[in-house]
Amino acid sequence: MNKTTSLLVLLALTAPVLAQTDAGKRLITIEGGPRGDVRNGPLTFVGNPVKARVSTLNIEAAQAVLAAPKGTPLIEAKGRRTANFTGNVKVDRGRLSATGSSLAYDESTGQGVLNGSASATFVPENKADGDTVTIRAATMSLDVDNDESTSTGNVTLSNGAQSGKADKLIFDEKRELALLTGTPSLTRAAKSGQKELIITGQEVRALTKSKTLYVRGGVKLVQGTTTTTGDAVYYDDRKNVAYVVGNAVSVDSKSRVTVKAPASGYLEQRTDLARVRALNAAYKIPTDQFRLTREK
C-alpha cells in the first residue's frame, strides 16, 4: 500500500461525520500515522503526545489503540469502535481538565472512562465567580453527550472552604452543579471565628459557583456542640445561613437547649452566630435550581 492510499484509508477511518446526531458526535479522530492492520485493526498510535478529539473533548496520551468489534472491519465500525489511551492521559473540555493513567473510550456509549488516580479541575469563568473545583476518584467517566462527568470510588471534592466526600459524584459543567450520593457529606471549614460545619444526608447537591447546597434525606448538621436534624436543608455559605425543613430539631449538647420547629414551620440556623431559631411559617427550598441539565 503506497503512502497516498494509506493516508486516504486513515482519513476514512478517523474523519468525523457532519450530521450533528449523538452518534456523529461520538466519533473519535486520532492524529498521526498508526501501526497495525489498516483494514481490520487494531491500530496503534504513538506520539509525543498522541492527540485525539471527540466532540468537545481533547485527549492527549503517550499511546492510543483504536479497535473495532471482532469480525468487523474498522471502516465499517464507525460508531462502535473503542479507543484505549495509556500513559499520562490528559483530557480537556472547556473549563474542565482531567488526568489519569489510562482512558477507555467507547463510541457506542459516548463515555470515556479515566482510571488510575483520576482527577479533574474546573476553573471559574471569572476570578470573581468563586473557587476552582477539584474532584478526585478511583474512576471518572466523561460523557460527550451532555457535558457531565461521573466519578466513583472514594470520591472527594474541594471548592474553596467547602469539601465533600461520596461514593459517587456527578458534575454538570453547564450548571456548575455537583450531585453527591452514597453516604455523602459536605464540610465547610472553620473560618472567621465560625466553627467547622459538617452536613450529611442521603443526597447532596452543591452549586459550586453560588456556594449553595440542597441536602435531602435524613439531614444532619453538626457545628460545635450543636446538632440539627431534619428532612431537608438549604444552605447558603455566603450568607452563613441554613434553613432546615421537615421534622426539624436542633440540640446543643453543652447547654442542653433544644429548639424544635413547629409542624408548619422550619428552623433557621445562623452558622456565623451559632444561633438557631424556630419560625412558624412555610419555607420552600428552591429545588429547581439544583436540577441537572438533563433533569429538566
Side-chain angles (χ1 to χ4, degrees):
M1 183 181 292
N2 60 39
K3 290 184 178 180
T4 301
T5 304
S6 177
L7 179 59
L8 290 174
V9 171
L10 179 59
L11 289 174
L13 289 171
T14 59
V17 297
L18 296 177
Q20 291 302 303
T21 63
D22 284 346
K25 291 179 182 178
R26 292 174 179 176
L27 296 185
I28 192 164
T29 302
I30 305 175
E31 297 179 8
R35 302 191 309 266
D37 186 337
V38 175
R39 175 177 171 78
N40 299 305
L43 296 179
T44 300
F45 297 77
V46 179
N48 189 27
V50 173
K51 294 184 179 181
R53 182 176 179 85
V54 54
S55 187
T56 54
L57 286 180
N58 293 298
I59 306 168
E60 292 186 358
Q63 178 176 291
V65 177
L66 181 69
K70 187 176 181 180
T72 304
L74 274 173
I75 197 168
E76 297 175 10
K78 286 185 178 181
R80 293 177 292 151
R81 300 173 299 182
T82 59
N84 287 282
F85 299 84
T86 54
N88 299 318
V89 179
K90 298 179 181 179
V91 184
D92 291 304
R93 175 167 59 193
R95 292 184 280 144
L96 181 80
S97 298
T99 61
S101 61
S102 66
L103 182 143
Y105 177 73
D106 190 330
E107 288 182 334
S108 65
T109 63
Q111 299 282 332
V113 181
L114 271 171
N115 288 288
S117 301
S119 67
T121 57
F122 183 79
V123 297
E125 191 169 8
N126 301 298
K127 288 184 178 180
D129 287 340
D131 301 292
T132 296
V133 177
T134 302
I135 301 168
R136 292 185 173 86
T139 64
M140 183 179 299
S141 178
L142 301 166
D143 194 318
V144 302
D145 294 338
N146 53 23
D147 290 348
E148 280 185 6
S149 63
T150 301
S151 302
T152 56
N154 298 317
V155 183
T156 63
L157 174 146
S158 62
N159 178 31
Q162 294 183 356
S163 60
K165 295 180 180 180
D167 297 329
K168 178 180 178 180
L169 184 152
I170 298 173
F171 188 73
D172 184 330
E173 295 154 44
K174 290 183 179 179
R175 299 295 315 281
E176 302 187 38
L177 171 65
L179 167 59
L180 295 84
T181 55
T183 61
S185 67
L186 193 133
T187 301
R188 202 285 320 279
K191 63 175 184 178
S192 302
Q194 296 184 52
K195 294 182 178 179
E196 177 185 76
L197 172 68
I198 301 173
I199 305 176
T200 58
Q202 292 180 0
E203 179 182 277
V204 175
R205 294 184 180 232
L207 287 167
T208 57
K209 180 178 178 179
S210 63
K211 299 292 180 70
T212 55
L213 307 177
Y214 165 44
V215 186
R216 68 177 185 85
V219 170
K220 180 186 288 187
L221 294 78
V222 179
Q223 185 179 35
T225 58
T226 301
T227 299
T228 305
T229 57
D231 295 338
V233 61
Y234 172 78
Y235 173 63
D236 189 325
D237 195 0
R238 290 174 175 167
K239 294 182 179 179
N240 301 303
V241 63
Y243 303 105
V244 187
V245 301
N247 304 302
V249 179
S250 185
V251 179
D252 189 318
S253 61
K254 183 177 181 180
S255 66
R256 300 186 181 277
V257 172
T258 297
V259 182
K260 186 175 182 179
S264 59
Y266 64 97
L267 293 183
E268 177 194 78
Q269 181 165 335
R270 287 291 301 270
T271 57
D272 55 340
L273 303 176
R275 184 190 72 191
V276 179
R277 62 173 181 162
L279 297 172
N280 190 17
Y283 181 80
K284 181 176 175 58
I285 294 176
T287 56
D288 287 347
Q289 296 179 11
F290 296 91
R291 295 181 185 272
L292 299 171
T293 301
R294 59 180 165 86
E295 290 180 321
K296 289 194 171 183

